[in-house]
Amino acid sequence: KMVGKPNVAGATASEAIVDTAVGATAIEAITNKTPRCQLPNTATDYQEAAADLETDCREDPWNLSRFTDKQYTYHGIAVQELSSGHKSSCWSWWILPTPPFRSSTGQDIGSGINQQFALISDEEAQAFLQFDRRGVNLRQNYITIMHIIAQQLEKGISPQQLLGMDCKRLRASVAYFERVSRELGDNELHEACYIVTRLQDEDSREVKRRRNQKSSSPLQQS
């Protein structure tokens, strides 16, 4: 339930973790089911773990380290694959984050990992764009990815060829950050997103034109 929400919710980390009956659950929940330490064995260990978690809560209330931890390894891989013209491994959740995918009734849908890396509000998205840890700057990495994608689309590589099934995620992510960056007055990011959006729209129109042309050809009609 803590996914996509600030780490601090009601009780402090100390209050949550010192209760040995729920200590393991508290650690797991606060760190989005990726515990950073083993379950403490002594009261002193609990206090030390609580102090570490409280520091994380203060410095990273949205648990955005879930992105930097992944991008530390996968940003370079994403850059390499996109530059080669085709995504061939799994990294889109933390490289191209989106708002939650929701059903018509407003319930979150999609895989657990998709929900874990969704940005649940504009506030979290703005924090995402300001977050920097382990030498990973989330905003700058996103801009870099946008530039590479734009270069490939300008070469005539389609979003489908470049990203496969994740071309829909790309559209959702870019549309979201285009709006957020516009409202923030972040011209660099907004321009990068706008260019990718324009190129996606051009590709969609071309695909539609070819489909219509094919369906109206004499050979097709016969």
Side-chain angles (χ1 to χ4, degrees):
K1 296 180 179 180
M2 296 298 294
V3 173
K5 296 182 179 180
N7 283 334
V8 180
T12 66
S14 293
E15 292 170 339
I17 196 172
V18 168
D19 184 347
T20 57
V22 298
T25 301
I27 294 174
E28 190 175 23
I30 290 173
T31 57
N32 270 328
K33 299 186 179 180
T34 53
R36 299 181 181 126
C37 57
Q38 297 297 318
L39 180 62
N41 295 316
T42 67
T44 299
D45 290 338
Y46 268 100
Q47 291 173 354
E48 291 176 354
D52 290 341
L53 287 173
E54 285 188 19
T55 298
D56 283 347
C57 289
R58 286 195 305 272
E59 297 179 354
D60 182 15
W62 292 99
N63 193 20
L64 293 168
S65 58
R66 70 190 193 274
F67 289 100
T68 53
D69 288 349
K70 289 292 189 179
Q71 290 199 22
Y72 184 82
T73 299
Y74 285 95
H75 175 71
I77 294 172
V79 167
Q80 183 178 18
E81 291 181 7
L82 292 171
S83 297
S84 71
H86 178 65
K87 173 182 175 291
S88 56
S89 61
C90 299
W91 40 255
S92 64
W93 300 286
W94 41 85
I95 300 294
L96 297 169
T98 69
F101 294 116
R102 293 195 166 109
S103 68
S104 58
T105 60
Q107 293 192 344
D108 289 350
I109 58 176
S111 67
I113 194 168
N114 185 75
Q115 294 180 36
Q116 179 182 354
F117 287 93
L119 299 171
I120 67 165
S121 67
D122 288 0
E123 185 179 5
E124 185 180 12
Q126 292 167 11
F128 175 94
L129 294 173
Q130 298 171 3
F131 197 73
D132 187 327
R133 180 172 285 188
R134 300 181 70 190
V136 177
N137 184 303
L138 295 177
R139 173 185 175 276
Q140 190 56 55
N141 280 2
Y142 194 85
I143 291 174
T144 297
I145 292 295
M146 291 299 103
H147 286 166
I148 295 172
I149 290 175
Q151 290 169 4
Q152 297 296 69
L153 298 182
E154 286 172 343
K155 290 179 183 178
I157 297 175
S158 71
Q160 181 71 37
Q161 291 172 318
L162 186 62
L163 288 159
M165 64 183 296
D166 284 321
C167 62
K168 293 182 179 179
R169 170 175 290 276
L170 171 64
R171 182 172 287 278
S173 180
V174 173
Y176 185 55
F177 278 108
E178 183 181 1
R179 179 181 64 77
V180 170
S181 61
R182 182 178 66 250
E183 293 174 354
L184 285 174
D186 187 337
N187 294 331
E188 182 183 14
L189 176 57
H190 182 260
E191 181 180 7
C193 292
Y194 173 79
I195 291 172
V196 172
T197 297
R198 176 176 56 79
L199 291 168
Q200 288 180 107
D201 290 343
E202 289 177 1
D203 178 79
S204 296
R205 286 193 293 270
E206 178 62 18
V207 169
K208 184 177 180 180
R209 185 190 68 79
R210 289 178 181 175
R211 186 183 298 119
N212 291 338
Q213 186 179 47
K214 182 178 180 180
S215 64
S216 63
S217 67
L219 182 61
Q220 184 72 21
Q221 291 176 357
S222 64

